[in-house]
Amino acid sequence: MSNFTGGKILTFEKEVCVSSSGEEPAMRFLVALNIFLSFTALLGNSIILVALKECSLHPASRLLFICLACTDLLVGVLLEPFNVVHLFLSMQGDQQLCSRMLVPSYIIGVILFGVSISTLTAISVDRLLALLLKLRYRQVVTLKRTCAVIAFIWLLNVFAATMYFWVHFIFLWYGYILIIACFVTSTSLYTKIYLTLRLHQRQQERFSHEQPLRRTGIPLNIARFRKTVSTALWVQLTLVACYLPYGIVTALMTSHGLSPSIILASRFASTLVYLNSTLNPLLYSWKIRDVRETVEAKLQQLMCCGQSRVQAFRGNVRTTNERTD
């Protein structure tokens, strides 16, 4: 975590904060973009949290999506403002304060990323249990047990993030191990779900004319199940697309060391990571009908409220002008 540069030993954080010539336009663009993404993540996930509380998903599944939306909300409230301040201090050349701002940014980032990817893995487990357990699903996957799983996920990631101050080696490798474990688990579970759905489809085609199967209502349950699985898959694929460039840049840092171009690339890659928190609300609105309808209703309320305030303001201005005349 240290490097010998120009006769002085600089920590990794200070090296990242070193300003490079010719980066000012790109840094200004990143500051403006991160401010915009912070606002959109805050607004979008706030509306999504209200919509998720009113949707008809199973309470345990809904709680997992609420947890995911909360992490995206915290990205907009905490992580992106830290990144904006870091970029601004880097532009000003204040290496000491800039490096100090990177430490809480790293810790919060590890916690929120760990919770996000762990929650997505928990959603894949939840979907597989819903498919295999069928009628026993609501008895096994209860709200109390889901709360315990979410609490464990948060405590585990908070504990891993505090290793930054105690055992830095664990802090560095925790992210790599978590990514591999979660993606291997999710991939195998979704593969199992896909194969099971194909088996159900073949059984439906083979026994489509039998009366007992018609009474069970399996086609309707499978159709609804596919929608929730599709939502989880889209969210996970979007996360991979947003985080993959950052992983590539991190690998380049490890193999080639720090350079102005790699540092600038890491800042753009970090912004792409934050973009994920703005895209997720759009995915929820697109894939979950109840959420989409609630979001549309809330936006209409905001627009009507804004129009009424504008009309009231214009009325006050007219009244003031008439009194002045």
Side-chain angles (χ1 to χ4, degrees), residues 4-138:
F4 189 79
T5 306
K8 298 179 180 179
I9 296 180
L10 300 176
T11 63
F12 173 82
E13 288 80 7
K14 288 184 179 180
E15 284 190 82
V16 171
C17 291
V18 172
S19 299
S20 302
S21 59
E23 289 186 7
E24 287 77 10
M27 297 287 282
R28 293 193 187 99
F29 171 76
L30 287 174
V31 169
L33 182 58
N34 277 272
I35 292 174
F36 172 76
L37 292 178
S38 177
F39 174 76
T40 54
L42 172 60
L43 178 62
N45 287 284
S46 298
I47 297 175
I48 288 299
L49 284 173
V50 175
L52 284 172
K53 292 179 181 179
E54 300 177 3
C55 72
S56 60
L57 287 174
H58 180 252
S61 301
R62 183 170 63 235
L63 184 60
L64 290 172
F65 280 105
I66 288 175
C67 177
L68 199 59
C70 285
T71 59
D72 291 329
L73 179 66
L74 291 175
V75 169
V77 173
L78 296 177
L79 196 56
E80 292 197 66
F82 271 112
N83 190 46
V84 169
V85 174
H86 153 67
L87 293 172
F88 181 77
L89 292 174
S90 181
M91 289 173 59
Q92 299 298 318
D94 192 342
Q95 299 178 16
Q96 185 174 3
L97 188 57
C98 175
S99 60
R100 290 180 180 177
M101 291 298 298
L102 273 179
V103 175
S105 179
Y106 286 156
I107 294 174
I108 295 173
V110 167
I111 293 174
L112 296 182
F113 171 70
V115 171
S116 295
I117 192 172
S118 300
T119 304
L120 282 172
T121 306
I123 290 174
S124 65
V125 175
D126 172 74
R127 293 297 82 201
L128 181 61
L129 291 176
L131 182 61
L132 297 180
L133 297 177
K134 298 180 181 178
L135 296 178
R136 294 181 55 244
Y137 168 72
R138 293 180 178 271

Side-chain angles (χ1 to χ4, degrees), residues 273-284:
V273 168
Y274 304 143
L275 176 63
N276 182 66
S277 298
T278 297
L279 294 178
N280 282 341
L282 300 177
L283 292 175
Y284 300 145

